[in-house]
């Protein structure tokens, strides 16, 4: 009986301690949040118009670390891997090659152009997150549902590839082929401006579910390797001979693919794309976001942190 009484007293004392710790934990704010998730990405440009063609989904995955700056504003460092792709053969018959303001565009359809690409890129961005509902006091007092706005600045790799279906059958790097014979090949890194919206759903005290989508405005018209006019075969060949790349025959196969679809080869200065509009892409994700303890980073980077002993 005495042992039972002592046991009950210990259990009650332990429950009181846990309850007190939980109470003070709720009163303290947590200002650092980690998130991860996955979703779909799609592209908008010379080869695909999301407004008319709908989604052309590719996969994406992402990680984020968010720091609370105030009751509504926070900043998030984001890293994403995403895939975008398009093919004239899938969307071509529906339209001509882009729009123009004072620029002559041929009436060739995208079906005749018959180009395609796929890109698997990494993106790094700093994003401001603005909650529409203020969170005053501790994180534990946040609402069940909170919409938010996303705006930021970042960079993305830019390496479109094309399928060499009449040659090796492999995906080849289009950027190094310089298919439009630019005086300077476009960069493998582009600046991006994310802008979008999200919805934060409270799952429990420490975890939120995020549903968000954002357009990435870019400063490039070459996410798809398509921008202006066709060069001539001689120009393509001479560029690679002059630069000693050894890629002239591959470049000739990849810069004009009309013949593969049964059409006559394009002539020099025929329209290949429209340089008046930059390309863009969208990332839609479902994420889990976790509120980290106050001393999380301090515990990780503390020089006095004891190393575990292995016996």
């Amino acid at each position: 009986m005495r042992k039972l009484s002592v046991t009950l007293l210990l259990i009650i004392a332990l429950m009181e301690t846990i309850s007190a710790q939980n109470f003070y934990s709720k009163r303290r704010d947590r200002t650092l949040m980690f998130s991860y998730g996955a979703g779909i990405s799609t592209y908008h440009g010379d080869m695909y118009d999301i407004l008319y063609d709908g989604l052309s989904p590719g996969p994406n995955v992402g990680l984020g670390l968010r720091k609370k700056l105030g009751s509504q504003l926070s900043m998030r460092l984001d890293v994403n891997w995403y895939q975008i792709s398009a093919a004239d053969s899938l969307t071509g018959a529906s339209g001509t090659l882009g729009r123009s303001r004072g620029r002559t565009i041929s009436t060739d359809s995208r079906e005749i152009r018959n180009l395609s690409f796929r890109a698997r890129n990494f993106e790094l961005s700093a994003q401001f997150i603005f909650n529409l509902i203020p969170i005053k006091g501790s994180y534990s007092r946040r609402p069940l549902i909170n919409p938010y706005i996303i705006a930021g600045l970042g960079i993305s790799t830019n390496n479109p590839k094309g399928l060499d279906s009449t040659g090796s059958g492999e995906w080849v790097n289009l950027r190094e082929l310089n298919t439009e014979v630019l005086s300077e090949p476009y960069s493998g890194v582009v600046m991006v401006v994310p802008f979008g919206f999200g919805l934060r759903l409270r799952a429990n005290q420490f975890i939120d579910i995020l549903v968000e989508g954002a357009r990435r405005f870019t400063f490039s018209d070459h996410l798809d390797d398509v921008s202006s006019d066709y060069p001539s075969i001689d120009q393509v060949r001479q560029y690679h001979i002059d630069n000693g790349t050894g890629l002239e025959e591959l470049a000739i196969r990849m810069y004009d693919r009309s013949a593969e679809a049964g059409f006559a080869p394009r002539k020099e200065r025929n329209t290949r794309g429209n340089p008046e509009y930059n390309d863009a892409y969208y990332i839609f994700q479902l994420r889990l976001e976790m509120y980290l303890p106050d001393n999380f980073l301090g515990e990780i980077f503390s020089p006095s942190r004891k190393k575990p002993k292995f016996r």
Side-chain angles (χ1 to χ4, degrees), residues 218-233:
T218 78
F219 294 86
S220 173
D221 190 33
H222 289 97
L223 294 186
D224 47 18
D225 190 60
V226 177
S227 180
S228 56
D229 299 326
Y230 284 96
S232 67
I233 291 180

Side-chain angles (χ1 to χ4, degrees), residues 37-287:
I40 61 172
S41 44
T42 191
Y43 134 92
H44 179 93
D46 292 291
M47 210 178 295
Y48 202 89
D49 191 324
I50 189 173
L51 299 178
Y52 296 97
D53 300 318
L55 291 174
S56 176
N60 69 64
V61 293
L63 300 173
L65 190 64
R66 182 167 68 95
K67 174 66 175 177
K68 182 179 177 182
L69 303 177
S71 62
Q72 289 181 271
L73 185 65
S74 58
M75 176 177 280
R76 188 173 76 190
L77 184 65
D78 243 27
V79 179
N80 288 295
W81 174 92
Y82 67 94
Q83 176 177 301
I84 53 176
S85 62
D88 286 333
S89 60
L90 300 178
T91 62
S94 63
T96 57
L97 302 185
R99 303 169 295 279
S100 176
R101 292 194 293 262
R103 183 173 184 270
T104 302
I105 291 219
S106 70
T107 56
D108 288 350
S109 72
R110 287 182 283 176
E111 181 184 29
I112 294 174
R113 185 176 59 179
N114 193 41
L115 294 175
S116 61
F117 86 101
R118 182 187 74 186
R120 292 172 173 173
N121 296 324
F122 284 95
E123 174 198 89
L124 174 65
S125 65
Q127 302 174 5
F128 286 103
I129 308 294
F130 185 80
N131 293 320
L132 297 188
I133 301 175
I135 304 173
K136 297 180 179 179
S138 170
Y139 73 102
S140 62
R141 300 176 62 183
R142 65 191 188 277
L144 293 177
I145 300 176
N146 200 344
Y148 56 92
I149 300 171
I150 303 168
L153 186 67
I155 57 173
S156 172
T157 59
N158 181 36
N159 290 296
K161 293 187 175 183
L163 183 61
D164 182 19
S165 55
T166 60
S168 64
E170 299 178 350
W171 289 92
V172 297
N173 189 324
L174 296 173
R175 183 168 63 87
E176 67 180 7
L177 297 181
N178 198 8
T179 54
E180 294 181 354
V181 192
L182 305 172
S183 56
E184 292 186 9
Y186 56 87
S187 175
V189 177
V190 299
M191 289 188 64
V192 302
V193 178
F195 181 79
F197 301 92
L199 189 66
R200 179 174 288 106
L201 308 172
R202 176 172 174 168
N204 60 34
Q205 180 181 339
F206 303 109
I207 297 176
D208 286 343
I209 299 172
L210 311 182
V211 182
E212 62 182 49
R215 176 178 173 125
R216 268 64 174 177
F217 298 88
T218 78
F219 294 86
S220 173
D221 190 33
H222 289 97
L223 294 186
D224 47 18
D225 190 60
V226 177
S227 180
S228 56
D229 299 326
Y230 284 96
S232 67
I233 291 180
D234 290 339
Q235 288 174 324
V236 175
R237 179 181 288 111
Q238 195 60 47
Y239 170 83
H240 287 282
I241 290 174
D242 290 346
N243 289 277
T245 65
L247 299 172
E248 52 268 20
E249 296 306 318
L250 176 59
I252 288 170
R253 287 200 302 272
M254 300 301 293
Y255 94 101
D256 178 13
R257 312 194 69 173
S258 299
E260 295 178 31
F263 300 99
R266 301 297 88 198
K267 297 179 180 180
E268 181 183 355
R269 296 190 64 79
N270 277 172
T271 298
R272 196 169 186 264
N274 187 353
E276 294 181 359
Y277 299 90
N278 286 335
D279 297 333
Y281 61 96
Y282 294 79
I283 289 182
F284 303 96
Q285 286 183 337
L286 179 66
R287 288 190 175 203

Side-chain angles (χ1 to χ4, degrees), residues 7-18:
T7 303
L8 288 174
L9 287 172
L10 288 174
I11 292 175
I12 292 171
L14 180 61
M15 291 179 65
E16 287 293 330
T17 302
I18 293 173

